[in-house]
Amino acid sequence: MSGDQVEAAVASCTAALRAAADRDWETVNAAGMDWTCRTTAFHIAEDFAAYAGRLAARAPHRLPLHITLPEGTDNAGLLQVIEATGALLAAAVRTAPPGVRAFHPSPFGSADREGFAAMGVAEAVLHTHDIARGLGLPYEAPADLAESVLAWLFPHIQPGPEPWPTLLWATGRGKLPGRAPVTDWTWYNNLVIPADRVTLTGIRPAAARDLALGGDGGFDWLDDGPYEGTREACTYLVKAYEAGVHRPEFGVFALVRPEDGRAVGGIGFHGAPDEERRVEIGYDLVTGARGHGYATEALRTLTEWALARDDVDTVIATVEPDNLPSQHVVTRAGFTRATVEEEHTTRHDHDTDPGLLLYLRR
């Protein structure tokens, strides 16, 4: 997801709406909205400008930035404003360094450059749909753009047979056979949890798919990374996404060093909390990052984040009996060996290999 997709979305938007530039957009509401078609079109430009400004400034909050249209600006002029602000967003995305984040409320308080690109694309194609329907125009977003928006912003939504109808359904704009209507929705930028020397950066389904297939997922990995455990975890993440059961807050995270932007390992959950409010964590590090305490720091951080939630009471870690370094990691992170009774109960209720040592933290 990059500036190229933003430009493609802008081109799709303006090409569709230019066919009705001579119509009155002020007296017709966009479909499903209380805004007029003109207000909705200007909203696209406003969002482009806001996203570009926040990302360029690395702003931790909304900026006091507003754009206005000179009196007498016609629809053709408004479309030029959409093109201009879209170009600003595309440029901001292209020039932002990897890992830079800025404010956006949904749902974790910030977004990276890929997130802002995806949100810009979503604003463009979805509101073009709203305007086009209000004006009685045909419009269908390019399938690759809709698919990208779903993979980057809707990781909790099971992909449908066609991406554009799925995106319309996921945002309450259409029906999808076999699925209940959506009346309340949000998109998900990836969760990022800072620790002392590494940042736990949530891996989206699109990046997980690349990692599962042997790519780098868009991360700059140290040495021979990522380690096989991270790739395997991403394989399960993709399967969960395709099955519609992925919960992004209980996914997989890359461990990124803020000092140089290098990814040194991975950590994540084996799934969402079970009925007993338990989650299991797994982790690994690339060879060159071992022995520096990164795993302990990441495990402690993610465990404390999980236990602070209302839906988690216990965090499980399983370790090979001969893996002494990993046993030291979990004990330093505050885990204790399960008692015989705890082990029996946990293994009975939880899919855990009996050959592994079981550690718990509550």
Side-chain angles (χ1 to χ4, degrees):
M1 181 62 76
S2 69
D4 292 347
Q5 281 75 30
V6 175
E7 290 179 341
V10 171
S12 174
C13 164
T14 54
L17 299 184
R18 193 164 280 121
D22 59 345
R23 300 265 299 277
D24 181 1
W25 294 5
E26 194 60 73
T27 59
V28 179
N29 275 13
M33 305 188 70
D34 294 330
W35 293 345
T36 68
C37 290
R38 184 173 172 86
T39 299
T40 306
F42 183 56
H43 172 75
I44 297 173
E46 287 182 307
D47 277 345
F48 285 165
Y51 292 168
R54 289 182 207 167
L55 185 57
R58 285 65 159 161
H61 47 68
R62 287 185 174 88
L63 294 177
L65 173 67
H66 300 281
I67 62 173
T68 59
L69 290 178
E71 188 175 349
T73 301
D74 60 10
N75 293 335
L78 175 52
L79 291 175
Q80 287 183 316
V81 173
I82 290 176
E83 290 174 328
T85 52
L88 291 175
L89 177 56
V93 169
R94 291 191 177 108
T95 56
V100 163
R101 300 184 75 84
F103 173 77
H104 192 279
S106 298
F108 302 121
S110 69
D112 57 13
R113 61 184 185 181
E114 292 86 359
F116 277 106
M119 290 188 294
V121 171
E123 295 285 356
V125 298
L126 290 171
H127 286 316
T128 298
H129 164 269
D130 300 335
I131 298 167
R133 280 193 60 200
L135 296 172
L137 299 174
Y139 178 72
E140 181 173 341
D144 60 334
L145 293 182
E147 184 176 17
S148 293
V149 169
L150 286 167
W152 287 93
L153 294 181
F154 293 85
H156 55 301
I157 295 296
Q158 182 179 22
E162 297 293 336
W164 178 234
T166 303
L167 181 58
L168 292 178
W169 167 81
T171 57
R173 289 173 166 84
K175 297 180 180 179
L176 209 59
R179 302 196 192 183
V182 172
T183 57
D184 187 26
W185 63 273
T186 187
W187 57 42
Y188 279 79
N189 282 293
N190 63 330
L191 174 62
V192 170
I193 306 173
D196 291 335
R197 295 174 300 151
V198 291
T199 298
L200 283 62
T201 303
I203 298 176
R204 300 173 172 97
R209 182 177 289 112
D210 183 57
L211 284 163
L213 293 174
D216 59 18
F219 295 96
D220 181 14
W221 292 92
L222 182 70
D223 298 338
D224 55 347
Y227 200 63
E228 192 58 36
T230 297
R231 294 197 188 280
E232 184 178 7
C234 286
T235 299
Y236 291 120
L237 188 158
V238 172
K239 290 180 179 178
Y241 169 62
E242 292 175 344
V245 297
H246 175 53
R247 285 181 59 182
E249 64 269 41
F250 289 104
V252 183
F253 301 80
L255 307 182
V256 181
R257 295 191 306 210
E259 64 191 60
D260 59 6
R262 307 296 297 277
V264 299
I267 191 169
F269 298 97
H270 290 196
D274 63 17
E275 293 180 355
E276 300 297 324
R277 302 158 69 91
R278 296 172 300 197
V279 290
E280 184 174 355
I281 285 183
Y283 55 88
D284 64 20
L285 292 176
V286 302
T287 304
R290 297 172 186 172
H292 299 284
Y294 292 133
T296 300
E297 180 181 317
L299 180 58
R300 182 183 296 118
T301 298
L302 190 57
T303 299
E304 291 174 352
W305 177 88
L307 290 174
R309 295 176 56 91
D310 293 335
D311 53 356
V312 176
D313 286 339
T314 305
V315 180
I316 302 169
T318 53
V319 184
E320 295 280 355
D322 58 351
N323 190 344
L324 294 180
S326 190
Q327 293 176 40
H328 293 154
V329 167
V330 296
T331 55
R332 285 195 298 266
F335 286 72
T336 57
R337 275 288 303 273
T339 65
V340 174
E341 182 179 353
E342 289 173 333
E343 186 168 327
H344 173 76
T345 302
T346 302
R347 293 193 192 282
H348 181 267
D349 297 337
H350 205 270
D351 184 18
T352 304
D353 188 335
L356 301 177
L357 301 180
L358 191 67
Y359 290 80
L360 305 176
R361 182 172 168 188
R362 293 185 169 90

